Amino acid sequence: MTKEISKRKVLVTGGAGFIGSHVVKQLCDAGFKVAVIDDLSTGFKNLVDTRATFFEGSIGDATLLQKILPGTAVVFHLAATSTVNYSMTNPKIYFENNVMNGIRLLDAMRKFGVKKMVYASSAASYNGKKRTPISETDPIGPLNPYGASKLAFESVMSAYFHSFGIEGTALRFFNVYGPNDGQPDNPRAIPMWLEAALAHKKVPYYWKGKQKRDYIFVEDVARAVVLAGEKARGFNVYNVGNGEGMWMIDILRELENILGEEFVLEDRGERPGDPKYAVADTRKIRKELGWKPLVGLRDGLERTVRYYTERNKKSDL
């Protein structure tokens, strides 16, 4: 990284969230001047690196954006209403926040001359029916409102690039996991399983664990986000995953092995909106940006288990 690049001012939306907080840390480590916007609806201010400047509020707040955006080189857009299951009961909220507020952010970027966005999109853009691994050119067709809102904003970004010259990179994250703070009643599978297991409760799972998923460690995802901000040009879409799939039931068994205990499983049957397969073809991002995952699944799971085990011990004190 050149000295000139490292001194640039950047904005991270959703920087108090799970993935966003890791992105903020890596940007600060690299010498960027980092501003963070988060409304703290699902994020936690204590996760934000103290070297960053924090602003509590919405990405749809024009007054706040007017204060922050001037002089910004890149917007790393991770703010979103997320998780598939909630989108099935509140779809309107997802389109309002993930699409309309995103458009408000892009319009503010136009006004203040900010020419680049890196966006946290999702593998939920795909229809889950194609053979795996899934490449960026495979058929899209979201199975739930969350995926539809993510894909819709990719189209908006493409239009803003071709119409107004704002470069955009959409990173389609597959299943991101790793140490996390807060997030009570976390709907993501691995933290949900660990919280239940460590509390000696039944561990819930769906589809009898017969879904194939691509799990990618959060630090690897954050590296992809930062790298896209530095190297991507024009408008691009990249998969961000490990490139290898595992059946969910096998991930459960791996966690049992790490913890050294057998889980009591609670079969919750089928869940609408879930694809059967979601494994990334990562050849494009490896070739064009030089990114590859560095943390293997076993290592990542062990680090995640350590985090949750230590957190539980602290909460018991």
Side-chain angles (χ1 to χ4, degrees):
M1 181 186 303
T2 67
K3 187 174 182 181
E4 179 182 357
I5 291 175
S6 69
K7 288 185 175 180
R8 292 190 306 177
K9 176 184 174 183
V10 298
L11 170 63
V12 181
T13 72
F18 171 43
I19 300 173
S21 60
H22 285 271
V23 172
V24 171
K25 182 182 184 304
Q26 290 193 18
L27 287 167
C28 288
D29 287 346
F32 285 83
K33 183 179 179 182
V34 183
V36 172
I37 293 178
D38 200 299
D39 65 6
L40 301 182
S41 58
T42 57
F44 297 85
K45 188 176 179 181
N46 66 293
L47 290 182
V48 180
D49 195 294
T50 56
R51 293 170 291 179
T53 303
F54 178 75
F55 298 88
E56 183 176 350
S58 167
I59 60 170
D61 185 337
T63 302
L64 184 59
L65 292 175
Q66 182 176 355
K67 180 179 181 180
I68 300 170
L69 280 176
T72 298
V74 183
V75 171
F76 296 90
H77 182 28
L78 289 93
T81 305
S82 60
T83 71
V84 169
N85 52 340
Y86 294 159
S87 77
M88 301 295 289
T89 55
N90 295 290
K92 182 179 178 181
I93 294 173
Y94 281 69
F95 288 101
E96 175 62 28
N97 197 32
N98 296 354
V99 181
M100 296 311 301
N101 273 348
I103 292 172
R104 294 179 183 107
L105 175 60
L106 280 170
D107 274 340
M109 290 172 62
R110 280 183 64 199
K111 180 178 180 180
F112 296 108
V114 183
K115 290 295 187 179
K116 192 168 192 177
M117 172 183 280
V118 178
Y119 170 57
S121 190
S122 173
S125 298
Y126 300 111
N127 62 25
K129 297 176 182 177
K130 168 80 168 53
R131 61 168 180 79
T132 57
I134 302 167
S135 77
E136 292 85 351
T137 57
D138 281 336
I140 52 179
L143 302 182
N144 51 70
Y146 167 67
S149 70
K150 285 292 190 177
L151 182 61
F153 191 68
E154 287 186 17
S155 296
V156 173
M157 290 175 65
S158 176
Y160 271 67
F161 167 64
H162 292 288
S163 299
F164 310 119
I166 298 176
E167 293 183 307
T169 299
L171 300 176
R172 290 178 180 164
F173 298 159
F174 280 65
N175 290 76
V176 185
Y177 75 101
N180 193 10
D181 198 0
Q183 298 292 337
D185 301 318
N186 200 320
R188 289 188 291 271
I190 288 176
M192 179 175 67
W193 292 342
L194 287 174
E195 287 173 353
L198 292 171
H200 306 291
K201 297 178 180 178
K202 290 183 179 180
V203 175
Y205 74 130
Y206 297 90
W207 300 93
K208 298 188 182 299
K210 291 301 181 180
Q211 293 172 292
K212 186 164 281 191
R213 290 290 183 269
D214 182 328
Y215 272 85
I216 179 74
F217 196 64
V218 65
E219 290 177 7
D220 283 331
V221 171
R223 282 193 306 104
V225 173
V226 175
L227 195 60
E230 295 183 66
K231 297 183 69 173
R233 296 291 181 267
F235 176 76
N236 293 283
V237 176
Y238 295 106
N239 287 337
V240 179
N242 188 49
E244 297 179 1
M246 282 189 71
W247 295 106
M248 296 296 284
I249 192 65
D250 292 332
I251 297 174
L252 264 170
R253 300 309 181 201
E254 191 71 22
L255 288 173
E256 287 181 327
N257 291 335
I258 294 170
L259 284 168
E261 62 181 79
E262 186 175 345
F263 298 162
V264 177
L265 300 181
E266 178 188 353
D267 183 0
R268 293 189 177 177
E270 300 181 359
R271 184 171 60 177
D274 283 349
K276 186 174 181 63
Y277 302 104
V279 181
D281 181 337
T282 60
R283 287 177 294 179
K284 184 180 179 184
I285 192 171
R286 289 172 184 256
K287 179 180 179 181
E288 296 185 9
L289 299 187
W291 173 91
K292 64 179 181 180
L294 301 179
V295 181
L297 183 64
R298 174 75 186 203
D299 181 26
L301 288 176
E302 288 177 344
R303 290 168 64 177
T304 305
V305 167
R306 260 196 316 272
Y307 170 82
Y308 277 93
T309 302
E310 291 170 3
R311 194 185 74 173
N312 275 25
K313 286 179 180 176
K314 290 178 182 177
S315 66
D316 290 338
L317 295 178

